[in-house]
Each structure stands twice: as structure tokens, then as C-alpha cells.
Amino acid sequence: MNANVGSVDKIVRLVLAAALFSLFFILPGDQKWFGLVGFVPLVTGLINWCPLYMIFGINTCRR
């Protein structure tokens, strides 16, 4: 599993994860569970690897 997420991409993913997690506290009722979608960009940003990037051959990481 080679890194395919670059530093700028990583920062964008972590900010997006924080924004999505905030929906958990903002949205009412059952809609708040959509905020848990933030786990996807959080995990891919922390491990520097995105499975969709691998499938499509995208690499934002410098070599």
C-alpha cells in the first residue's frame, strides 16, 4: 500500500472531515448521522492512501 495522497490533499481531507463531523452536532434528529461520513476523509487523510485514487490511477503524493 503506497501513499497516493499528497500533503495538500491530506489537509483538505482533514478539514473536510472536521466539517462533516460538525454536521453530527448541527443537524436535527436522524439526519445528524450523515456527519459520520466524515470518517472516510479522516481515515484516508491519516493513512495517506485512498482506494479510489488507486482504482483511477491518481497520485497527488510527490515521489
Side-chain angles (χ1 to χ4, degrees), residues 2-10 12-13 16 44-45 48-61 63:
N2 296 328
N4 62 4
V5 175
S7 59
V8 173
D9 195 6
K10 180 178 183 170
V12 170
R13 288 172 186 266
L16 179 63
T44 58
N48 293 333
W49 184 74
C50 179
L52 286 177
Y53 276 14
M54 184 184 70
I55 291 170
F56 292 114
I58 300 170
N59 187 352
T60 60
C61 187
R63 297 204 182 242

Side-chain angles (χ1 to χ4, degrees), residues 10-34:
K10 180 178 183 170
I11 293 169
V12 170
R13 288 172 186 266
L14 295 177
V15 169
L16 179 63
L20 287 171
F21 281 136
S22 70
L23 291 177
F24 184 79
F25 300 105
I26 295 172
L27 293 176
D30 290 338
Q31 294 176 2
K32 68 180 179 180
W33 296 105
F34 286 117

